Amino acid sequence: MKIAMISEHASPLAALGGVDAGGQNVHVAALSEALAKRGHHVTVYTRRDAAELPRRVRVGRRFEVVHIDAGPARHVPKDELLPYMGELADGVARDWGRRPPDVVHGHFWMSGLAALDAARRPETGYRVPMLQTFHALGTVKRRHQGAEDTSPEERQWLEPGVGRAADRIIATCSDEVFELKAMGIATGKISIAPCGVDLNVFGAAGPVAARPRRHRILSVGRLVPRKGVDLVIRALPYLKAAGFDDVELLIVGGGGDTGSLDSDPEVRRLRGLAAELGVADQVTFQGQVSRSEMPGIFRSADAVVCAPWYEPFGIVPLEAMACGVPVVAAAVGGLRDTVVDHATGLHVPPRDPEAIGSALSLLLENPDLRASLGRAGEKRARTRYSWDRVAAETEKAYQLAAAGSPAGVIPMEGAAL
């Protein structure tokens, strides 16, 4: 199958950890690679965000990335990219010429606009089946961020329009299906295929990073307020009150596009909070680290905390589970699917630092519990979330879209609904 993916702001080639780089980059890259290994030919179209980027980059034998001129050849925050989606669609359609792909798959709502535009041009004489993965929904973002949501106003009606016009939607978790239904999108054209984890990189066996204190808690990801890292810092006094004061909170991420922690406003805010709470000596900001270092860092932790206000899916819990580390997760979005409460980790209510502290206290005082949760998490990651399995489920959705089959909500095998 010839597959075109459009990922307007999240290139699979981009370095992770910047303000607009993260899980979507990983998802698009890993899914494309896995599909290519299954024999498909995958082209990812993304916006040129630097003048020196080549037109085409061959990633593998059946996987390439094409940079399309759409707007200025520099970084533009993703919430400011809407005016350039027409140019992106034009560039994609030109590259297809008279040989369109079998399916086109949009990632994020603006990519969906470009995918629909390129796929359904009357003058071309063809109509390419179009699938959409949203990665995050504007309705959810507005609910949690309110006035701080920087999405363009047009998202309120354009995003549901993408969902209604797409031939098929691939949701990443069961919670997203209910959100899509509330947006007026027919559940009969929704498949579920989650994010995955690279099991060749993340595993329980291997080197373990050194740690300076008896216990280590780990937080990993972009440092933006909605990720809830401040909640983990606020949990430290509760741990201290429970008798756990020899604890390090290691925070990996931050620094924006420059990688400089000192210039990152969220780092400054979090450092100020730690000082205010009297726990600054327990909090270490690691900044951005290489992917190759992350497994050892995961293995060095007693627990990984993922406490976002909301989360469409979340790759960090899968990476932690694959490394055999229990996860304390806010019971929101996709985290309710991946982390099984009291089986692979512990659920806590969102925005509740005291609950985070209680969950961590339970784990720190019970090494046998940590070990059993870690073993179960590793098994779950390996059996349910390999990228090959995710690619196989995505392939089924492509086949349904190409056949025009409204076969009802199609979950990934074993996924909860």
Side-chain angles (χ1 to χ4, degrees):
M1 186 177 283
K2 185 178 176 183
I3 300 163
M5 295 204 192
I6 301 182
S7 182
E8 93 291 13
H9 74 274
S11 169
L13 305 177
L16 302 182
V19 173
D20 284 336
Q24 185 175 324
N25 304 71
V26 173
H27 186 116
V28 172
L31 177 60
S32 298
E33 185 175 28
L35 287 165
K37 286 179 179 177
R38 293 179 66 84
H40 302 289
H41 294 264
V42 183
T43 302
V44 178
Y45 296 92
T46 191
R47 197 187 72 85
R48 181 189 299 278
D49 60 6
E52 66 274 13
L53 290 173
R55 168 75 175 176
R56 309 183 90 88
V57 177
R58 177 64 60 180
V59 180
R61 190 159 64 92
R62 291 184 290 266
F63 173 21
E64 67 176 345
V65 175
V66 175
H67 296 107
I68 300 294
D69 293 313
R74 58 173 171 78
H75 171 76
V76 176
K78 67 175 180 284
D79 287 334
E80 298 175 15
L81 289 174
L82 181 59
Y84 310 120
M85 290 305 99
E87 293 177 57
L88 183 61
D90 290 343
V92 170
R94 279 195 300 271
D95 193 69
W96 290 350
R98 302 302 303 172
R99 301 180 65 186
D102 296 301
V103 295
V104 58
H105 185 172
H107 292 267
F108 200 58
W109 69 278
M110 282 187 277
S111 294
L113 292 170
L116 286 167
D117 186 350
R120 299 180 181 177
R121 298 189 167 197
E123 68 272 17
T124 63
Y126 55 70
R127 183 187 186 280
V128 181
M130 184 270 182
L131 298 95
Q132 175 69 18
T133 297
F134 284 105
H135 293 277
L137 291 171
T139 52
V140 179
K141 188 176 182 182
R142 285 193 301 276
R143 187 184 311 146
H144 290 277
Q145 293 195 3
E148 295 181 3
D149 179 10
T150 58
S151 300
E153 183 181 1
E154 295 93 330
R155 184 175 187 177
Q156 296 183 50
W157 59 87
L158 290 177
E159 186 171 60
V162 169
R164 289 190 289 268
D167 294 296
R168 193 151 200 92
I169 293 173
I170 302 177
T172 56
C173 68
S174 54
D175 186 66
E176 187 180 348
V177 176
F178 301 110
E179 295 287 348
L180 292 167
K181 183 178 180 180
M183 291 165 59
I185 295 169
T187 57
K189 65 176 186 180
I190 301 174
S191 298
I192 299 177
C195 299
V197 60
D198 188 343
L199 298 172
N200 294 318
V201 175
F202 296 94
V208 179
R211 67 188 195 191
R213 292 178 177 263
R214 181 181 178 185
H215 296 292
R216 170 177 279 177
I217 300 161
L218 182 62
S219 173
V220 180
R222 289 185 296 133
L223 294 190
V224 292
R226 78 168 183 88
K227 292 293 186 179
V229 178
D230 59 328
L231 300 170
V232 193
I233 295 174
R234 292 181 187 278
L236 292 176
Y238 293 106
L239 277 178
K240 187 175 290 189
F244 297 100
D245 53 2
D246 194 14
V247 177
E248 177 200 29
L249 169 58
L250 179 64
I251 299 172
V252 175
D257 296 313
T258 66
S260 170
L261 293 177
D262 292 335
S263 64
D264 188 322
E266 183 66 1
V267 172
R268 291 197 296 269
R269 183 180 79 91
L270 294 173
R271 281 175 171 164
L273 175 63
E276 178 186 330
L277 295 173
V279 296
D281 63 322
Q282 293 181 250
V283 181
T284 302
F285 289 87
Q286 183 79 23
Q288 300 175 28
V289 303
S290 68
R291 184 171 173 79
S292 62
E293 293 178 85
M294 280 309 305
I297 292 174
F298 276 119
R299 296 182 200 114
S300 73
D302 294 302
V304 174
V305 182
C306 301
W309 305 350
Y310 63 95
E311 185 59 70
F313 187 80
I315 291 178
V316 169
L318 288 183
E319 294 175 342
M321 288 161 54
C323 291
V325 182
V327 179
V328 174
V332 297
L335 302 186
R336 291 188 290 190
D337 284 358
T338 51
V339 180
V340 181
D341 192 28
H342 285 86
T344 69
L346 300 174
H347 287 179
V348 294
R351 303 204 195 196
D352 191 337
E354 184 174 2
I356 295 171
S358 297
L360 288 170
S361 295
L362 178 63
L363 292 176
L364 295 186
E365 68 188 10
N366 288 284
D368 289 344
L369 176 62
R370 295 201 304 270
S372 66
L373 294 176
R375 286 192 298 270
E378 181 190 10
K379 181 179 179 181
R380 182 171 174 82
R382 288 195 167 275
T383 57
R384 296 192 174 211
Y385 295 104
S386 72
W387 276 112
D388 182 64
R389 180 172 178 178
V390 173
E393 297 299 325
T394 303
E395 183 182 281
K396 291 178 186 177
Y398 291 166
Q399 291 166 347
L400 287 169
S405 173
V409 177
I410 308 297
M412 181 175 180
E413 184 180 347
L417 273 180

